[in-house]
Amino acid sequence: MNQYQRTHETMAAYERLHLAAAEERGGETLAAAWASVVRQWRVVLAAAGVGLVVALVFLAVTPPQYSARALVLIDPKNDFSVRATRAPTDSNTDSANIESQVEILRSDRIVRKVIEAENLVDHPAFRPGVLSQVLSTLKFWDRETPAKTELARMEATTRALQKQVTAKRLGLTYVVELTATMPDPVEAARVVNAYAHAYMDGQLQFREELASRTSKALQERTEELKKQAQNAERAVEELKFSGSLQGENSASARVALKNLESTAQTYRVIHDKFLERYAETLQQQYFTVPDAQIVSAGFPPLNKSYPKTLIVLATALFLSAALGSLLALLLDRRFGGARLKRDHFA
């Protein structure tokens, strides 16, 4: 064995001894800490008791909140109003359409429809907090009017409802989850269902308006094509009975006649297609199908969503016990050190 190997083995042995000593010191430290906690168990128990009392008081004074859930299925392919002209889509386009509908669900327009339909202005669940009320009373320089007050109440209710109703897409599916959180489970179910129906009504209204605009545009274009086709057909008839087809210029006249007949036929075919499309769109105004449907209505939840009793109690117990253990270590170190000094001088 050469000098290098012996040195290497010596260093390895030293590292093993160092690690063993460190582990022993760590074990001794943990054992000493645990002994301190055991000696000061009354402190730990008192801290845990205080934490549980605080948690129970929090649960007693905090109003419970209940969350009702509804599911809306959005089918971006169900687009009857533009199905004749719609370009093929892929998964990325459909995904973008779903996300767009989620943003529409979060819009002020839907929220205000729910507020108006369910008469939620000045609902107790949406009343401003004490701080907001105090700040509003301090605005003595801002002259209030009935119209301004009404708008402020609607705006406050809108913002409060937006915080208590969420809309999110479930994974990569076409399903959007609506969740309404209210102090009363029946109210939560009522609000989430009103939210879903407001979205559906908005979809129907949008489809009807789109069909109406499309129908009007098609009607105007159909009338234009009808006039153009009639003018082309009239020009054909006039050329036929003008006598131009006879004589030395008959060849050019026949070419012109053929062009006019082709133009008249083209206008007539386009007119017929527009007329057919106009008839379909006109029928869709009376048979409008939204591109979404409610697959699961909201029901009053049986259990509250906030605060979670077990989670609050477990968290309070863990934090208070940890704080009590830390306090026990500090107290044991302080008074334990004082005892050692007294024993030393004694």
Side-chain angles (χ1 to χ4, degrees), residues 65 111 114-116 118-129 132-133 152-165 180-183 187-188 190-192 195:
Q65 299 290 324
V111 176
V114 175
I115 294 173
E116 294 172 356
E118 300 299 324
N119 194 23
L120 296 178
V121 177
D122 295 333
H123 191 281
F126 306 127
R127 288 176 182 172
S132 299
Q133 294 180 4
R153 291 163 57 199
M154 173 61 76
E155 181 69 16
T157 306
T158 300
R159 298 294 165 252
L161 183 57
Q162 283 179 327
K163 293 179 180 179
Q164 296 185 235
V165 179
T181 303
M182 300 284 288
E187 289 288 324
R190 183 170 70 93
V191 169
V192 77
Y195 211 92

Side-chain angles (χ1 to χ4, degrees), residues 46 121 139 188 283 343:
V121 177
K139 295 180 180 180
Q283 291 297 323
D343 294 340

Side-chain angles (χ1 to χ4, degrees), residues 47-294:
V50 171
L52 287 178
V53 170
V54 172
L56 291 174
V57 172
F58 172 78
L59 292 172
V61 301
T62 303
Q65 299 290 324
Y66 297 87
S67 296
R69 188 181 73 158
L71 299 179
V72 176
L73 175 64
I74 299 176
D75 185 6
K77 298 181 177 63
N78 187 21
D79 196 354
F80 292 106
S81 63
V82 293
R83 63 184 179 182
T85 58
R86 178 167 179 163
T89 60
D90 54 16
S91 58
N92 293 330
T93 303
D94 288 343
S95 179
N97 290 335
I98 300 298
E99 296 296 337
S100 299
Q101 295 302 315
V102 172
E103 293 302 321
I104 292 175
L105 278 164
R106 297 170 178 162
S107 64
D108 290 358
R109 180 174 62 89
I110 301 297
V111 176
R112 291 178 185 272
K113 284 186 176 182
V114 175
I115 294 173
E116 294 172 356
E118 300 299 324
N119 194 23
L120 296 178
V121 177
D122 295 333
H123 191 281
F126 306 127
R127 288 176 182 172
V130 177
L131 180 60
S132 299
Q133 294 180 4
V134 172
L135 292 177
S136 62
T137 57
L138 293 178
K139 295 180 180 180
F140 55 86
W141 64 87
D142 191 4
R143 186 176 181 181
E144 296 288 342
T145 62
K148 191 172 183 179
T149 302
E150 184 65 25
L151 289 175
R153 291 163 57 199
M154 173 61 76
E155 181 69 16
T157 306
T158 300
R159 298 294 165 252
L161 183 57
Q162 283 179 327
K163 293 179 180 179
Q164 296 185 235
V165 179
T166 61
K168 66 176 181 179
R169 182 184 181 187
L170 296 182
L172 298 177
T173 67
Y174 290 166
V175 179
V176 177
E177 180 187 65
L178 297 175
T179 304
T181 303
M182 300 284 288
D184 182 79
V186 177
E187 289 288 324
R190 183 170 70 93
V191 169
V192 77
N193 288 327
Y195 211 92
H197 284 98
Y199 170 71
M200 298 294 294
D201 293 342
Q203 288 285 305
L204 288 173
Q205 183 180 359
F206 171 76
R207 299 294 291 277
E208 290 174 356
E209 292 176 354
L210 178 61
S212 178
R213 292 195 301 268
T214 305
S215 176
K216 184 178 180 180
L218 287 172
Q219 182 182 14
E220 294 175 354
R221 183 56 179 159
T222 301
E223 293 295 332
E224 293 177 0
L225 291 171
K226 181 180 179 181
K227 292 179 181 179
Q228 291 174 342
Q230 290 176 345
N231 292 335
E233 291 171 350
R234 188 179 300 110
V236 170
E237 296 299 325
E238 290 177 354
L239 183 58
K240 285 182 178 180
F241 293 100
S242 64
S244 300
L245 298 177
Q246 306 296 329
E248 58 183 12
N249 295 325
S250 61
S252 59
R254 291 182 184 279
V255 173
L257 176 62
K258 187 176 181 180
N259 291 335
L260 287 175
E261 288 177 341
S262 177
T263 302
Q265 183 179 5
T266 300
Y267 278 127
R268 180 58 63 183
V269 171
I270 297 176
H271 168 267
D272 292 341
K273 289 185 177 296
F274 266 82
L275 184 61
E276 180 183 358
R277 181 67 185 130
Y278 167 68
E280 291 180 359
T281 308
L282 189 63
Q283 291 297 323
Q284 289 168 12
Q285 296 185 49
Y286 306 100
F287 185 69
T288 305
V289 179
D291 54 359
Q293 57 180 318
I294 301 174

